[in-house]
Amino acid sequence: MRAGAKHVSHAMLASILAASSAQAAPLWLEAENAPRHSFPPPAENPFRADGFWETDLLSTGDWIGMRWDPASQPPFLEFDLELTEPGAYSLFVRKLSGPGNFRWKIGDGPWQEHVPPFMHRSLDSVSMRQTGERITLDWFYMGTVELVAGQQTLRIEVVNDPLNPPRVTGPIPLAFDVFVLTKEPFFPSGRLRPGEKYPWREGKAFAFQPDCADWQASAFRLRELNENFAGEHGGIAVRDGRLVYRNTGKPLRMLGVNYQLGRAVPHLAIERLADTLAGLGFNFLRFDIAPALRFLKNEQGKIAVAVQEKPLAHMIRVISTMRARGIYTALTWNVADTRGFSSVYPIPGPFVQAGEKLTFRNEPLPDIAALLQFDPSLRSMVREAWTQVLAAPFGEEGSLLTEPALFLVTLAQQASLLNDHPLPWDALTPAAREELLKAWRAWAAKTHGSEAKAAKIWGKKEKEAFSRVPQMPEILAQRGPVHRDALKFYAESQAKFFEEEIKSLRALGYQGLVSCTNKPNGRPELLGFADISTRFAGDVIERHGFFRGDFDPKYDLWNFTEGA
């Protein structure tokens, strides 16, 4: 049996969830039309659109921007508002890529600081320019305030964010396209306004954008396929190669989406999302816990992983909201994507700095599996971080560790020793290299009788044979005796690592399912079986279709097959 889970795009979610508002109409505020501001005229915006292919991406073809020297007076914008109803209003902004960078208030109310650092991922992103200086238009949720009806003034002031310094030195790039103030859930998608639909049609195909987000009254409502609440029948288990409810043995299929924890979303929108997903038949949500953690280094140089209380609380709140709609939770952790990781473990990142310009690295990022599996302190910190996250209180007296609604934990998000883009040998920490060579020597001696015999079989001097372990690009290119043995060593080492980590999870009391990793290698025709064989310790074998070497949009999904 195979269970599929679609990775739903922002555009799809926006079209599905768009709802006609029976309340006060959202206020759409063009930044370049602010009646009072201290920005240069739009014509002097250094990021001004060039050509119709760029103006078409902006809400009205233009926006306001500048390069701001933090030593100078912070720029501001002010808008005059006429609110027809009191209530909770949420502010959204579409701006040049990069989080926060401003605070806002309405009338004499308190300043609303920009969203905390853990929520700095955009709700929607459109690339406007990829040549030269890269320009991206990002939507962010900036908070919710209670307001009274009547005339109000919205003031926005740029701030220099010490917790999120710009990626470039010198003047800070700033540009704003539009602000939205609304009482209704808003799911940003490009330049579409709240409730607006894509005018797309091709032959008999059209964009599916229903008006009704209230799935209680929909003829297509699939909510009854889910339990009354996730875990109602004891959670999910694997029996005879099938996913079943633990207490009843009834088979089920799982259909889910990824939830980006690093994005700030109003709770009203989360409830609407939960209702809609349940109505469409989705029954699980997957989180990457990276935004809830942070790598730190103290004055003595000791590295630690700290749990971030706000993002963890946000995740617990979303899990609880989804649970009430019969939607289960899956957790994974992309360690390399955790805040602070690249500072304490300097590895090549997605961007290349050249003076004041930041360009995207046009090559696969290196896999950190060797660090995860052979650096003793990192491995210990990863275990401790999982322990703290799973011990988070949930419900009246329980924790995530024992919550049946948590049905799956993936141990190594996008990390495998058999990936063909490993972390370079010289980029490994000294501790990781030492442990890796120690394990390599022990494996060779056990397999061939002694280190000397292994070196002889490989046709190498003993010192040369054990100075480093061949990496996957060499193994795939050369395929000699030492390379075949290195492949066996990697596969057996990774299998052992997963077995030990699963045992550690079980010792904590975790009863849900475990997937070892979801990172397939780029050469399945050569490494497929070896790679899959390392995952047999898990309850399910998971793979991400969108990492296929021969990429095709129709494979933009992830799925898993029950264990070995």
Side-chain angles (χ1 to χ4, degrees):
M1 171 188 168
R2 171 169 292 180
K6 292 191 177 296
H7 185 99
V8 178
S9 68
H10 296 304
M12 180 180 175
L13 276 178
S15 64
I16 291 175
L17 301 174
S20 57
S21 175
Q23 299 186 14
L27 299 179
W28 183 271
L29 309 170
E30 292 289 341
E32 68 274 13
N33 295 335
R36 294 172 298 280
H37 65 81
S38 58
F39 279 76
E44 298 177 20
N45 181 358
F47 312 103
R48 198 176 194 195
D50 181 16
F52 71 88
W53 52 89
E54 291 185 359
T55 58
D56 279 356
L57 299 176
L58 294 164
S59 60
T60 58
D62 212 347
W63 56 338
I64 198 168
M66 66 186 297
R67 295 187 187 276
W68 173 53
D69 181 358
S72 64
Q73 192 72 14
F76 75 92
L77 302 98
E78 281 191 352
F79 295 90
D80 297 318
L81 312 177
E82 181 67 41
L83 302 181
T84 59
E85 295 181 3
Y89 284 81
S90 298
L91 182 71
F92 296 82
V93 60
R94 193 180 192 218
K95 63 187 289 292
L96 182 68
S97 61
N101 291 340
F102 71 87
R103 61 179 185 170
W104 62 282
K105 70 174 182 176
I106 293 183
D108 296 326
W111 283 107
Q112 304 296 318
E113 299 297 334
H114 55 78
V115 179
F118 78 89
M119 290 301 199
H120 276 172
R121 290 180 179 173
S122 62
L123 293 171
D124 177 77
S125 186
V126 173
S127 178
M128 184 170 124
R129 185 180 303 164
Q130 295 194 7
T131 58
E133 185 172 17
R134 189 176 184 189
I135 298 177
T136 304
L137 300 166
D138 287 349
W139 275 105
F140 291 94
Y141 162 64
M142 300 306 296
T144 301
V145 293
E146 287 285 339
L147 299 175
V148 297
Q151 294 182 346
Q152 303 278 8
T153 299
L154 167 63
R155 183 177 175 90
I156 291 150
E157 286 187 5
V158 173
V159 295
N160 188 14
D161 180 4
L163 294 176
N164 189 66
R167 296 192 183 108
V168 297
T169 57
I172 298 175
L174 300 170
F176 297 96
D177 182 23
V178 67
F179 298 88
V180 171
L181 193 66
T182 178
K183 294 180 65 178
E184 279 288 283
F186 175 44
F187 298 86
S189 182
R191 64 180 189 180
L192 293 182
R193 300 188 177 212
E196 187 178 0
K197 301 180 181 181
Y198 281 104
W200 178 83
R201 192 178 190 94
E202 186 174 315
K204 295 183 179 180
F206 61 94
F208 178 63
Q209 303 166 90
D211 290 324
C212 181
D214 181 5
W215 291 94
Q216 297 291 337
S218 172
F220 298 99
R221 184 176 185 269
L222 302 176
R223 171 66 179 88
E224 281 68 27
L225 292 178
N226 293 355
E227 297 169 290
N228 291 320
F229 59 89
E232 179 183 11
H233 298 105
I236 296 172
V238 174
R239 293 176 190 160
D240 300 324
R242 306 189 73 177
L243 293 175
V244 300
Y245 289 119
R246 189 178 300 275
N247 291 348
T248 66
K250 181 181 178 181
L252 77 155
R253 294 178 65 89
M254 304 299 290
L255 179 67
V257 294
N258 291 309
Y259 185 94
Q260 295 289 346
L261 182 59
R263 294 186 171 97
V265 182
H267 189 66
L268 182 62
I270 294 171
E271 291 182 333
R272 178 69 59 84
L273 175 63
D275 288 336
T276 304
L277 290 177
L280 290 170
F282 289 94
N283 60 357
F284 84 90
L285 205 67
R286 192 185 72 150
F287 295 85
D288 179 358
I289 65 172
L293 300 164
R294 184 179 183 181
F295 281 87
L296 303 168
K297 182 185 289 187
N298 63 20
E299 295 179 353
Q300 290 73 40
K302 183 177 176 60
I303 301 171
V305 180
V307 174
Q308 306 295 287
E309 291 183 7
K310 288 185 178 179
L312 182 60
H314 175 77
M315 184 179 78
I316 295 296
R317 189 175 186 183
V318 176
I319 292 174
S320 179
T321 303
M322 296 295 163
R323 177 184 180 274
R325 277 78 172 177
I327 297 174
Y328 281 83
T329 292
L331 298 181
T332 186
W333 182 13
N334 188 337
V335 175
D337 202 27
T338 307
R339 192 172 182 214
F341 180 82
S342 59
S343 298
V344 295
Y345 294 98
I347 62 173
F351 297 99
V352 179
Q353 183 87 45
E356 291 190 3
K357 291 187 177 181
L358 198 71
T359 58
F360 192 72
R361 188 185 300 275
N362 190 24
E363 60 186 36
L365 294 179
D367 194 311
I368 67 164
L371 262 183
L372 288 173
Q373 298 184 31
F374 291 102
D375 187 295
S377 68
L378 178 59
R379 184 170 177 180
S380 176
M381 284 188 287
V382 168
R383 279 191 180 185
E384 176 59 25
W386 272 115
T387 300
Q388 292 186 56
V389 170
L390 293 175
F394 189 87
E396 294 182 0
E397 298 180 357
S399 68
L400 283 179
L401 195 63
T402 56
E403 172 53 49
L406 174 58
F407 91 99
L408 179 68
V409 166
T410 301
L411 293 174
Q413 167 74 3
Q414 300 182 21
S416 171
L417 286 178
L418 279 73
N419 182 24
D420 52 342
H421 295 287
L423 189 65
W425 179 263
D426 293 339
L428 291 173
T429 60
R433 287 197 297 268
E434 181 180 346
E435 286 296 316
L436 184 51
L437 286 174
K438 180 180 176 181
W440 175 231
R441 286 177 178 274
W443 184 91
K446 181 179 179 181
T447 303
H448 297 294
S450 70
E451 294 177 16
K453 289 180 180 179
K456 184 177 181 180
I457 291 172
W458 299 338
K460 295 178 178 292
K461 294 182 178 180
E462 191 170 340
K463 184 176 181 180
E464 176 192 3
F466 296 102
S467 62
R468 63 192 298 274
V469 186
Q471 294 192 293
M472 292 309 301
E474 303 169 56
I475 293 171
L476 292 170
Q478 300 182 36
R479 309 187 198 181
V482 67
H483 304 102
R484 288 194 292 270
D485 272 357
L487 178 59
K488 294 177 185 176
F489 164 71
Y490 282 138
E492 292 177 17
S493 297
Q494 181 157 283
K496 180 182 177 183
F497 167 79
F498 288 140
E499 289 172 1
E500 291 173 351
E501 295 310 300
I502 291 173
K503 185 181 294 185
S504 174
L505 272 182
R506 297 303 185 200
L508 292 175
Y510 174 66
Q511 298 297 315
L513 305 182
V514 178
S515 165
C516 295
T517 181
N518 50 36
K519 179 71 171 182
N521 59 75
R523 301 294 296 276
E525 72 280 7
L526 297 176
L527 303 173
F529 178 76
D531 186 35
I532 289 296
S533 69
T534 69
R535 313 181 193 193
F536 287 168
D539 300 293
V540 296
I541 296 176
E542 179 186 353
R543 68 178 293 273
H544 278 217
F546 54 72
F547 285 113
R548 289 170 55 103
D550 52 336
F551 176 77
D552 188 305
K554 68 184 179 182
Y555 293 115
D556 186 14
L557 54 84
W558 72 273
N559 54 60
F560 54 88
T561 304
E562 287 73 6

